[in-house]
């Protein structure tokens, strides 16, 4: 018997909510979920749930989990070691794919099309917007010749077409690298990342390329410190070159940069540490999207008190302003103001970004004001009801006493 396995992806979902959904679904005997063998893993992108067992839930289970968690769910599966596929539900959107649509017998063109996968249905729900990348995996193996079956969908992948474990490469590209220990009859499944040299030579897209909540226009229209050309130049700088980073993978580089910072006194003031932080930001962005902001925060030194040279690297400031979320809007404003000074040719764009933050803040303040007013009204209404209830209680007591006197 081959491998039967299903793993559910809950993008943007806490483990507790995913666990509750799985445990509730397990009460349905049709799904035959063994809760003792379920394994959970939470990451920046959401939660993965591994469910081993010979009975697969397919679309029915995917739809149930999406409804129970009130969250998009992609249920990927390996069937008997022969093929892989998925069923996805997100709100009114649904999508289905199977590498061998005719595995259970001949299918008509309409059913084959239904099982072809639709990147447009996934884009935005999962932490990637690269539909062209997704299409490279959504291939029916029966349409490939023998040589094509030996190829991988993307450079750096571990498994080719025709291998059911290609599912794990697809998961990694969606932002969910395999997060579990080995499973039965499985090859080594630890994430296999390309070296930085390969990423730069081929300009490989990020594993997880999420849309930034604010400032995506900056990334789209202007080169930043996260651009390939900038990183190529950075690697040739004195001090950085000696580390030999091109022959290391992004996780290795992030770890080495962090280790180096711990060996330096006041790393925030050390010029080399600040440059290494930019490289770590690029690697973090390639791996996990906007968490790169934390490293970019180390890329400049701007104390609140005392005199210190203001940052002059336009590319770093652009990247940091582009990746800022709402909680960091004041830092983004400061970076945008500095960019207007350093790069007046793009003043219009920076001012537009500043205005967008301002509009967002005003909208948030308006929402909070309305929320506060609603809470106060509800509080006043509850207080009124309590006072009426208390007045009625006292009235009944008085009436009772009067009856006793009479």
């Amino acid at each position: 018997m081959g491998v039967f396995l299903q793993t559910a992806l809950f993008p943007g979902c806490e483990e507790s909510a995913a666990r509750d959904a799985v445990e509730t679904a397990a009460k349905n005997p049709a799904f035959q979920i063994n809760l003792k063998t379920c394994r959970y893993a939470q990451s920046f992108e959401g939660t993965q749930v591994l469910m081993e067992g010979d009975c697969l839930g397919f679309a029915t289970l995917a739809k149930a989990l999406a409804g129970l968690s009130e969250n998009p769910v992609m249920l990927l599966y390996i069937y008997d070691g022969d093929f892989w596929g998925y069923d996805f539900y997100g709100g009114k959107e649904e999508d289905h794919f199977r590498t061998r649509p005719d595995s259970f017998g001949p299918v008509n063109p309409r059913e084959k099309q239904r099982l072809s996968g639709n990147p447009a249905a996934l884009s935005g729900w999962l932490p990637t917007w690269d539909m062209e990348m997704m299409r490279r995996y959504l291939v029916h193996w029966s349409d490939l010749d023998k040589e094509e079956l030996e190829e991988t969908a993307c450079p750096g992948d571990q498994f080719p077409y025709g291998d059911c474990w290609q599912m794990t490469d697809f998961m990694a590209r969606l932002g969910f690298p395999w997060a579990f220990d080995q499973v039965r009859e499985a090859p080594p499944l630890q994430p296999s990342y390309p070296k930085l040299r390969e990423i730069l030579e081929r300009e490989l897209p990020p594993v997880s390329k999420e849309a930034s909540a604010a400032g995506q226009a900056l990334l789209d229209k202007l080169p930043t410190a996260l651009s390939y050309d900038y990183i190529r130049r950075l690697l040739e700088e004195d001090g950085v070159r000696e580390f030999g980073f091109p022959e290391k993978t992004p996780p290795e580089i992030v770890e080495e940069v962090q280790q180096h910072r711990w060996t330096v006194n006041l790393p925030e003031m050390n010029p080399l540490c600040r440059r290494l932080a930019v490289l770590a930001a690029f690697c973090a962005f390639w791996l996990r999207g906007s968490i790169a902001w934390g490293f970019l925060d180390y890329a400049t030194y701007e104390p609140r008190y005392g005199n210190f040279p203001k940052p002059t690297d336009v590319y770093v400031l652009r990247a940091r302003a582009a990746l800022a979320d709402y909680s960091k809007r004041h830092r983004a404003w400061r970076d945008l103001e500095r960019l207007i000074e350093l790069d007046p040719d793009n003043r219009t764009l920076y001012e537009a970004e500043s205005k967008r933050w301002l509009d967002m803040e005003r909208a948030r303040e308006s929402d909070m004001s309305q929320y506060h007013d609603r809470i106060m009204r509800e509080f006043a209404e509850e207080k009124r009801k309590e006072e009426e209830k208390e007045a009625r209680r006292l009235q009944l007591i008085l009436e009772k006493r009067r009856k006793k006197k009479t």
Side-chain angles (χ1 to χ4, degrees):
M1 182 178 290
V3 178
F4 289 86
L5 175 149
Q6 56 191 356
T7 180
L9 307 184
F10 292 77
C13 184
E14 295 292 329
E15 181 180 322
S16 58
R19 187 182 292 270
D20 288 344
V22 172
E23 291 177 353
T24 303
K27 295 177 182 178
N28 185 338
F31 295 138
Q32 297 187 32
I33 298 174
N34 184 351
L35 294 177
K36 293 181 180 179
T37 63
C38 289
R39 288 185 269 175
Y40 298 81
Q42 186 173 353
S43 67
F44 176 77
E45 304 293 5
T47 302
Q48 298 181 49
V49 185
L50 175 62
M51 293 171 276
E52 296 181 74
D54 297 341
C55 186
L56 305 182
F58 297 111
T60 306
L61 178 56
K63 188 172 185 179
L65 292 174
L68 291 168
S69 64
E70 297 182 348
N71 197 84
V73 169
M74 172 180 277
L75 184 68
L76 300 108
Y77 56 84
I78 290 176
Y79 186 89
D80 204 15
D82 292 332
F83 63 88
W84 69 272
Y86 69 74
D87 294 287
F88 170 82
Y89 285 88
K92 296 180 180 179
E93 291 279 1
E94 65 176 272
D95 188 35
H96 311 274
F97 172 71
R98 190 179 297 164
T99 55
R100 297 189 186 278
D102 56 352
S103 54
F104 301 122
V107 294
N108 57 44
R110 185 174 181 178
E111 177 65 3
K112 183 177 180 180
Q113 179 61 35
R114 189 184 75 86
L115 295 173
S116 294
N118 179 16
L122 304 178
S123 182
W125 291 103
L126 289 149
T128 179
W129 296 79
D130 192 343
M131 290 190 286
E132 187 58 38
M133 175 274 292
M134 286 189 275
R135 287 190 185 96
R136 293 199 286 271
Y137 292 90
L138 306 185
V139 175
H140 291 151
W141 292 347
S142 56
D143 296 337
L144 302 177
D145 58 32
K146 187 176 180 180
E147 292 182 355
E148 290 174 321
L149 283 171
E150 297 176 356
E151 299 176 357
T152 58
C154 290
D157 281 0
Q158 190 174 356
F159 303 102
Y161 297 108
D163 191 322
C164 64
W165 294 103
Q166 185 193 45
M167 180 190 78
T168 61
D169 287 325
F170 181 59
M171 289 168 55
R173 295 289 175 179
L174 295 181
F176 290 88
W178 186 261
F180 306 102
D181 296 331
Q182 290 304 110
V183 297
R184 57 179 182 171
E185 300 181 42
L189 293 174
Q190 293 304 317
S192 178
Y193 295 110
K195 296 177 180 179
L196 181 59
R197 171 180 51 78
E198 298 175 272
I199 293 173
L200 297 176
E201 286 177 353
R202 303 177 189 177
E203 296 196 354
L204 299 180
V207 172
S208 174
K209 188 175 182 180
E210 63 191 33
S212 180
Q216 183 66 23
L218 285 174
L219 285 177
D220 288 343
K221 295 182 179 180
L222 297 173
T224 74
L226 302 178
S227 303
Y228 296 100
D229 286 341
Y230 184 96
I231 298 301
R232 293 188 190 102
R233 295 193 299 270
L234 175 58
L235 290 171
E236 294 301 319
E237 293 181 8
D238 292 339
V240 179
R241 182 172 53 248
E242 286 70 24
F243 282 87
F245 286 129
E247 298 305 317
K248 298 171 184 176
T249 64
E252 290 172 340
I253 294 170
V254 170
E255 178 66 21
E256 188 164 350
V257 168
Q258 290 176 322
Q259 291 285 349
H260 180 76
R261 285 181 57 83
W262 293 334
T263 67
V264 176
N265 185 35
L266 299 176
E268 66 276 7
M269 299 181 65
N270 183 282
L272 177 58
C273 284
R274 293 201 295 270
R275 300 304 288 153
L276 293 179
V278 179
L279 181 60
F282 173 85
C283 293
F285 181 78
W286 193 88
L287 288 166
R288 287 289 183 275
S290 61
I291 59 170
W293 192 95
F295 285 106
L296 290 171
D297 193 32
Y298 296 142
T300 62
Y301 180 61
E302 304 168 71
R304 292 188 176 184
Y305 306 102
N307 295 323
F308 201 84
K310 290 185 178 181
T312 58
D313 193 321
V314 169
Y315 296 90
V316 169
L317 294 173
R318 287 174 183 168
R320 190 163 61 198
L323 290 182
D325 59 26
Y326 184 78
S327 66
K328 304 176 183 69
R329 63 194 182 282
H330 297 98
R331 182 58 177 272
W333 270 321
R334 190 168 68 185
D335 286 339
L336 290 166
E337 289 174 358
R338 182 63 177 157
L339 282 167
I340 291 173
E341 298 175 15
L342 297 171
D343 185 24
D345 289 345
N346 290 298
R347 181 187 186 96
T348 301
L349 178 58
Y350 302 137
E351 290 178 342
E353 288 299 312
S354 294
K355 183 177 182 301
R356 178 156 58 156
W357 280 118
L358 182 60
D359 292 343
M360 193 182 303
E361 185 174 60
R362 287 172 175 168
R364 183 70 66 91
E365 288 176 350
S366 176
D367 290 342
M368 290 303 296
S369 177
Q370 294 176 16
Y371 173 76
H372 180 265
D373 290 344
R374 179 171 62 82
I375 292 297
M376 293 304 295
R377 288 196 299 272
E378 291 176 356
F379 177 76
E381 180 64 16
E382 286 295 322
K383 185 177 179 181
R384 183 187 65 79
K385 289 180 180 179
E386 287 295 325
E387 289 175 348
E388 288 182 351
K389 184 177 179 181
E390 180 65 12
R392 178 60 178 166
R393 186 180 71 84
L394 293 174
Q395 183 180 3
L396 291 173
I397 291 174
L398 291 173
E399 290 177 355
K400 188 175 180 181
R401 288 176 178 173
R402 290 192 189 104
K403 288 180 181 179
K404 284 185 178 180
K405 291 179 178 180
T406 59

